Amino acid sequence: MVNYIWLGMIVFSIIVASMNGHIEIITKAALEGAGEGVKTSLHLISIIAFWLGLMRIAEAAGLVQILASIMRPLTRILFPDLPRDHPALGAIIMNISANILGLGNAATPMGLIAMQELQKINNEPKTASPSMCTFLALNTSCLTLIPSTIIGIRLLHNSSDPTSVVGTTIFATACGMIVGVSVDRLMRFIYRVQGR
Amino acid sequence: MYGVIAEISRWAIPFAIFFILLIASLKGLQVFEIFVEGATEGFATAIKTIPYLVAMLVAINIFRASGAMAIISKQISPLLNNFGFPAEVLSHALMRPLSGSAALGIATNLISTHGPDSFIGQLVSTMQGSTDTTFYVLALYFGSVGVTKYRYAIVAGLAADFTSLVASVYIVNKLFG
């Protein structure tokens, strides 16, 4: 599916640009996008290196496993395919916690660690496993208690109550999370029935 | 209540670093060596995401710059007006799953034009906080492990984003409308 979305976006854009008579924009935008991709990855080196270093210490000290076993009642329902106390569970819990607290910089490395652990037990390395899909549904729809970036911007623009959107954000993310997880569960079931 | 959560958020990372190192040193682990090993692995992971992010951001950037997104936005905006969804905010809603920095730029612009406490300001703030850069996250997370077949992950992610969007419009209309 990602093939069609990707192809569709590019082809449609080129058609629009040529009809509007500014086809030269395409090349410029493509190279800018490529540059942005490299820049983002390079920026990620610092935070991923730092957090992965720290996480390996936490794993060696047995802390990740303890965290995983505390949250087992919840993760057993969400990730029925994963073995008990699998290291991926610890990383997943830390990723979700960081997301909930609005700590984006810490959330990404934990998420990538979780993906690595999930990939180790994935039978088809090129295809997303059901646990990966559930994790990403949780991750992208995650409940947010502290929308820190937007509060900062509201403060900057002299809002009389910068945190007035905290309640509405919690409500909206909670709705999104419920639907995200439900759709994931439904799709997991459909794919299994169809044997895909 | 908000103050308590904000304090937890402020202390969480320093405390986590302190606690992890404390327990590890009590167990007699070679913390420096383990850290460096992990960081080396982290370097490789970050580099591995480059081709995936390049592919995704090229498509997104072309889509934005060519005016293709503006056309789609123009087509659906009259429809949405009926549901208490102002046209100004639509470009943010369409941009949000594609590009975090572009969506934040639109949100900042709307907040400074209309004021943070206006209806549009409250709505775009809630939308910015409650939806995610789904395409970027999928490209990054799947890219880091070399997965190219996303199966239904996009459907679930976009369904969640769409729900958060609808919920934002509903609650902000109800509280600040």
Side-chain angles (χ1 to χ4, degrees):
Chain A
M1 184 157 97
V2 71
N3 276 310
Y4 295 118
I5 294 176
W6 195 75
L7 187 73
M9 278 171 83
I10 294 179
V11 170
F12 181 59
S13 303
I14 293 176
I15 294 171
V16 171
S18 63
M19 284 187 338
N20 288 348
H22 49 231
I23 190 73
E24 69 286 347
I25 278 182
I26 297 293
T27 323
K28 188 167 164 275
L31 291 173
E32 272 174 12
E36 212 179 298
V38 174
K39 245 194 301 188
T40 310
S41 293
L42 290 182
H43 171 69
L44 281 173
I45 293 176
S46 55
I47 52 173
I48 295 176
F50 170 71
W51 280 106
L52 214 59
L54 199 67
M55 275 290 294
R56 288 291 175 248
I57 298 177
E59 263 173 39
L63 292 169
V64 179
Q65 296 82 331
I66 292 172
L67 187 64
S69 66
I70 294 172
M71 299 296 285
R72 194 183 303 134
L74 188 65
T75 52
R76 208 180 44 198
I77 302 167
L78 286 169
F79 298 97
D81 310 339
L82 292 183
R84 274 168 67 112
D85 298 338
H86 191 270
L89 288 172
I92 289 171
I93 293 159
M94 280 194 262
N95 169 270
I96 302 296
S97 317
N99 266 327
I100 290 176
L101 291 173
L103 306 169
N105 270 350
T108 307
M110 312 275 192
L112 296 182
I113 295 166
M115 289 302 282
Q116 278 177 358
E117 295 294 341
L118 291 174
Q119 182 72 331
K120 284 181 192 160
I121 49 169
N122 186 3
N123 297 326
E124 296 168 74
K126 287 263 165 214
T127 308
S129 68
S131 298
M132 287 179 178
C133 292
T134 304
F135 172 52
L136 280 166
L138 267 179
N139 181 299
T140 57
S141 68
C142 191
L143 181 71
T144 307
L145 297 183
I146 315 249
S148 42
T149 314
I150 202 73
I151 291 174
I153 290 171
R154 294 170 60 76
L155 201 63
L156 200 70
H157 288 92
N158 305 317
S159 169
S160 60
D161 186 5
T163 58
S164 66
V165 293
V166 170
T168 54
T169 303
I170 292 175
F171 174 79
T173 50
C175 293
M177 197 169 193
I178 292 167
V179 170
V181 172
S182 310
V183 169
D184 170 72
R185 212 14 82 91
L186 181 71
M187 295 300 286
R188 185 193 274 231
F189 176 73
I190 293 173
Y191 268 60
R192 189 185 307 146
V193 169
Q194 294 181 345
R196 280 204 267 173
Chain B
M1 181 60 195
Y2 173 73
V4 176
I5 301 171
E7 273 306 287
I8 293 174
S9 164
R10 207 160 67 91
W11 282 83
I13 287 177
F15 176 77
I17 297 173
F18 177 77
F19 185 71
I20 290 169
L21 292 180
L22 181 75
I23 301 291
S25 57
L26 287 179
K27 291 199 172 178
L29 294 173
Q30 303 290 316
V31 285
F32 182 76
E33 281 163 35
I34 302 173
F35 183 90
V36 172
E37 267 170 43
T40 311
E41 215 182 301
F43 181 79
T45 306
I47 293 297
K48 219 171 150 189
T49 61
I50 291 180
Y52 298 89
L53 285 187
V54 166
M56 195 57 92
L57 291 175
V58 162
I60 289 168
N61 230 26
I62 292 181
F63 189 62
R64 264 170 57 196
S66 65
M69 211 175 89
I71 288 184
I72 293 179
S73 172
K74 217 171 153 187
Q75 292 299 319
I76 48 180
S77 103
L79 246 147
L80 293 173
N81 249 327
N82 303 333
F83 299 99
F85 188 83
E88 293 92 328
V89 185
L90 180 65
S91 58
H92 179 273
L94 287 175
M95 187 62 79
R96 190 68 176 104
L98 300 176
S99 165
S101 54
L104 188 62
I106 296 173
T108 309
N109 186 269
L110 284 172
I111 287 173
S112 76
T113 317
H114 297 269
D117 303 319
S118 65
F119 174 71
I120 286 178
Q122 305 272 21
L123 179 58
V124 81
S125 301
T126 305
M127 283 162 54
Q128 175 72 30
S130 64
T131 48
D132 206 339
T133 327
T134 301
F135 281 88
Y136 162 80
V137 171
L138 292 183
L140 179 69
Y141 278 42
F142 281 139
S144 73
V145 292
V147 165
T148 48
K149 293 191 168 58
Y150 296 0
R151 296 174 87 207
Y152 50 86
I154 291 185
V155 178
L158 289 182
D161 273 340
F162 183 71
T163 308
S164 295
L165 172 67
V166 173
S168 302
V169 175
Y170 168 78
I171 194 80
V172 174
N173 263 305
K174 204 160 168 84
L175 293 181
F176 306 108

mmCIF file of all heavy atoms in Angstrom, chain B residues 22 47 50 57 66 93 128 133 149 163 166 170 175:
data_model
loop_
_atom_site.group_PDB
_atom_site.id
_atom_site.type_symbol
_atom_site.label_atom_id
_atom_site.label_comp_id
_atom_site.label_asym_id
_atom_site.label_seq_id
_atom_site.Cartn_x
_atom_site.Cartn_y
_atom_site.Cartn_z
ATOM 1 N N LEU B 22 22.597 4.174 39.116
ATOM 2 C CA LEU B 22 22.732 3.753 40.514
ATOM 3 C C LEU B 22 22.604 2.231 40.640
ATOM 4 O O LEU B 22 23.479 1.563 41.216
ATOM 5 C CB LEU B 22 21.664 4.452 41.362
ATOM 6 C CG LEU B 22 21.693 4.114 42.853
ATOM 7 C CD1 LEU B 22 22.850 4.837 43.517
ATOM 8 C CD2 LEU B 22 20.380 4.512 43.534
ATOM 9 N N ILE B 47 21.835 5.829 11.061
ATOM 10 C CA ILE B 47 22.294 5.891 9.669
ATOM 11 C C ILE B 47 21.380 5.063 8.759
ATOM 12 O O ILE B 47 21.060 5.445 7.643
ATOM 13 C CB ILE B 47 23.752 5.380 9.569
ATOM 14 C CG1 ILE B 47 24.702 6.339 10.287
ATOM 15 C CG2 ILE B 47 24.180 5.218 8.106
ATOM 16 C CD1 ILE B 47 24.774 7.724 9.698
ATOM 17 N N ILE B 50 18.316 6.669 6.973
ATOM 18 C CA ILE B 50 18.445 7.723 5.944
ATOM 19 C C ILE B 50 17.668 7.431 4.653
ATOM 20 O O ILE B 50 16.832 8.232 4.244
ATOM 21 C CB ILE B 50 19.928 8.047 5.648
ATOM 22 C CG1 ILE B 50 20.553 8.733 6.866
ATOM 23 C CG2 ILE B 50 20.063 8.963 4.420
ATOM 24 C CD1 ILE B 50 22.020 9.104 6.693
ATOM 25 N N LEU B 57 10.337 11.855 2.577
ATOM 26 C CA LEU B 57 10.316 13.316 2.596
ATOM 27 C C LEU B 57 10.379 13.919 1.191
ATOM 28 O O LEU B 57 9.865 15.014 0.975
ATOM 29 C CB LEU B 57 11.444 13.851 3.486
ATOM 30 C CG LEU B 57 11.210 13.545 4.974
ATOM 31 C CD1 LEU B 57 12.392 13.973 5.819
ATOM 32 C CD2 LEU B 57 9.955 14.239 5.482
ATOM 33 N N SER B 66 4.261 21.512 -5.026
ATOM 34 C CA SER B 66 3.671 21.553 -6.360
ATOM 35 C C SER B 66 2.286 22.197 -6.357
ATOM 36 O O SER B 66 1.767 22.533 -7.409
ATOM 37 C CB SER B 66 3.547 20.132 -6.903
ATOM 38 O OG SER B 66 2.624 19.421 -6.107
ATOM 39 N N ALA B 93 -4.613 20.278 9.194
ATOM 40 C CA ALA B 93 -5.092 18.895 9.313
ATOM 41 C C ALA B 93 -4.502 18.003 8.231
ATOM 42 O O ALA B 93 -4.140 16.853 8.480
ATOM 43 C CB ALA B 93 -6.618 18.867 9.256
ATOM 44 N N GLN B 128 -2.697 20.076 17.027
ATOM 45 C CA GLN B 128 -1.246 19.879 17.000
ATOM 46 C C GLN B 128 -0.813 18.907 18.107
ATOM 47 O O GLN B 128 0.040 18.058 17.897
ATOM 48 C CB GLN B 128 -0.547 21.234 17.169
ATOM 49 C CG GLN B 128 0.964 21.168 17.276
ATOM 50 C CD GLN B 128 1.635 20.817 15.952
ATOM 51 O OE1 GLN B 128 1.133 21.134 14.885
ATOM 52 N NE2 GLN B 128 2.761 20.137 16.025
ATOM 53 N N THR B 133 2.664 12.720 13.324
ATOM 54 C CA THR B 133 3.240 12.695 11.986
ATOM 55 C C THR B 133 3.323 11.249 11.516
ATOM 56 O O THR B 133 4.415 10.690 11.377
ATOM 57 C CB THR B 133 4.645 13.314 12.009
ATOM 58 O OG1 THR B 133 4.667 14.336 12.973
ATOM 59 C CG2 THR B 133 5.006 13.888 10.670
ATOM 60 N N LYS B 149 7.206 -3.699 3.836
ATOM 61 C CA LYS B 149 5.770 -3.964 3.689
ATOM 62 C C LYS B 149 5.071 -3.613 5.000
ATOM 63 O O LYS B 149 5.209 -4.316 5.993
ATOM 64 C CB LYS B 149 5.546 -5.435 3.326
ATOM 65 C CG LYS B 149 6.067 -5.780 1.946
ATOM 66 C CD LYS B 149 5.607 -7.164 1.508
ATOM 67 C CE LYS B 149 5.878 -7.384 0.038
ATOM 68 N NZ LYS B 149 7.303 -7.234 -0.317
ATOM 69 N N THR B 163 -9.634 10.290 13.920
ATOM 70 C CA THR B 163 -10.486 10.329 15.102
ATOM 71 C C THR B 163 -10.087 11.468 16.035
ATOM 72 O O THR B 163 -10.940 12.212 16.537
ATOM 73 C CB THR B 163 -10.387 8.998 15.869
ATOM 74 O OG1 THR B 163 -10.636 7.948 14.963
ATOM 75 C CG2 THR B 163 -11.372 8.952 17.012
ATOM 76 N N VAL B 166 -11.395 14.714 14.572
ATOM 77 C CA VAL B 166 -12.832 14.894 14.782
ATOM 78 C C VAL B 166 -13.114 15.214 16.249
ATOM 79 O O VAL B 166 -13.889 16.117 16.575
ATOM 80 C CB VAL B 166 -13.605 13.626 14.342
ATOM 81 C CG1 VAL B 166 -15.066 13.733 14.714
ATOM 82 C CG2 VAL B 166 -13.454 13.417 12.842
ATOM 83 N N TYR B 170 -14.853 18.546 17.889
ATOM 84 C CA TYR B 170 -16.026 18.395 18.758
ATOM 85 C C TYR B 170 -15.811 19.087 20.104
ATOM 86 O O TYR B 170 -16.598 19.924 20.528
ATOM 87 C CB TYR B 170 -16.323 16.901 18.960
ATOM 88 C CG TYR B 170 -17.320 16.627 20.058
ATOM 89 C CD1 TYR B 170 -18.682 16.820 19.842
ATOM 90 C CD2 TYR B 170 -16.894 16.201 21.313
ATOM 91 C CE1 TYR B 170 -19.595 16.585 20.853
ATOM 92 C CE2 TYR B 170 -17.797 15.970 22.332
ATOM 93 C CZ TYR B 170 -19.154 16.172 22.103
ATOM 94 O OH TYR B 170 -20.041 15.954 23.101
ATOM 95 N N LEU B 175 -16.384 23.474 24.181
ATOM 96 C CA LEU B 175 -15.837 24.240 25.296
ATOM 97 C C LEU B 175 -15.580 25.710 24.966
ATOM 98 O O LEU B 175 -15.766 26.579 25.807
ATOM 99 C CB LEU B 175 -14.536 23.603 25.791
ATOM 100 C CG LEU B 175 -14.656 22.232 26.437
ATOM 101 C CD1 LEU B 175 -13.291 21.752 26.890
ATOM 102 C CD2 LEU B 175 -15.615 22.282 27.622
#
